[in-house]
Amino acid sequence: MLAAMASTFQFDLEMIPIRVGLVTMGAILSCSLAFLYSVFVEKSEVVNFPRRVFKKKRYTKFVESTIIGLIMMLTLIVGHLLKFQNTYWISISTVAIIQGRNFEHVRQRNMHRIFGTFIGLGLAWLILLFDPEKIIMIGIIVVLQFVVELMIVRNYGFAVIFITPLTLLLVEVGSTVHHQVENLMEARLLDTIIGSLMGLAAGFFLHHQQIINRLEKNIRYSFFQFKKLKK
């Protein structure tokens, strides 16, 4: 994902130390907050439920990783062919969709992502319509982040409604250039729809057991032939 995002920015050697420093500061801050939370928040009694263990076949991870890698490559190719400004939004939407437990969950996340983004863009337009000051926008971002963290484990579709304006406001606050709101929203919606549909297609292959089994069989046979030739 870092490579996908970096492919849309101009490469500047002088900016590498600054950007590495910003990432490091963010990582240190998040780890510090997590540490303080674990120290000062009283832990309730945890009940451990027995979990079913699914043993995957030897080449399952290899097949799944290959499918995900190929679909990520396709998202970037599609974005560059369509000449989108931020092609990584397609990749982000695709990754968010394929994280479902099964194909039914993937399909559900796909619908939640598209409709949640559509409603969230309306909320973002309403916020940006008033053209708030940067300090007020930071306060709005804090509130949106709080709601997202509160809802993400309860209802993904409802959380996406707030994730969409959150990402758009972060772009506005972090940039010195004022973006055209209409163009930004249109690009965001189109990126999300394309990425979600590609994630749905990837989810179909990932959770279609017959396809996975056939690919595993081909890979196992290829490795066997390779070892045979090597001997």
Side-chain angles (χ1 to χ4, degrees), residues 110-130:
N110 175 61
M111 298 300 295
H112 285 178
R113 184 85 182 180
I114 293 174
F115 286 108
T117 300
F118 183 76
I119 299 170
L121 286 173
L123 179 60
W125 176 81
L126 189 64
I127 295 171
L128 294 173
L129 183 67
F130 294 98

Side-chain angles (χ1 to χ4, degrees), residues 167-192:
T167 54
L168 291 174
L169 293 181
L170 284 171
V171 171
E172 281 293 312
V173 170
S175 177
T176 55
V177 181
H178 182 71
H179 296 86
Q180 289 291 333
V181 178
E182 293 81 7
N183 296 338
L184 199 63
M185 290 170 63
E186 183 182 349
R188 183 76 175 87
L189 181 61
L190 194 57
D191 291 345
T192 300

Side-chain angles (χ1 to χ4, degrees), residues 16-82:
I16 290 178
I18 297 174
R19 287 174 178 166
V20 170
L22 290 172
V23 172
T24 305
M25 287 168 61
I28 291 172
L29 179 61
S30 60
C31 290
S32 301
L33 291 173
F35 173 74
L36 292 173
Y37 179 83
S38 64
V39 170
F40 292 107
V41 174
E42 184 180 356
K43 292 181 173 60
S44 58
E45 188 177 341
V46 179
V47 180
N48 292 321
F49 294 98
R51 298 181 63 184
R52 293 178 64 187
V53 178
F54 296 92
K55 279 192 77 175
K56 293 192 175 183
K57 295 180 183 177
R58 183 178 179 183
Y59 297 106
T60 301
K61 282 292 182 184
F62 182 82
V63 172
E64 291 177 350
S65 300
T66 303
I67 293 172
I68 294 172
L70 288 173
I71 200 69
M72 289 294 291
M73 180 184 70
L74 285 174
T75 59
L76 293 175
I77 290 173
V78 168
H80 283 294
L81 287 176
L82 295 176

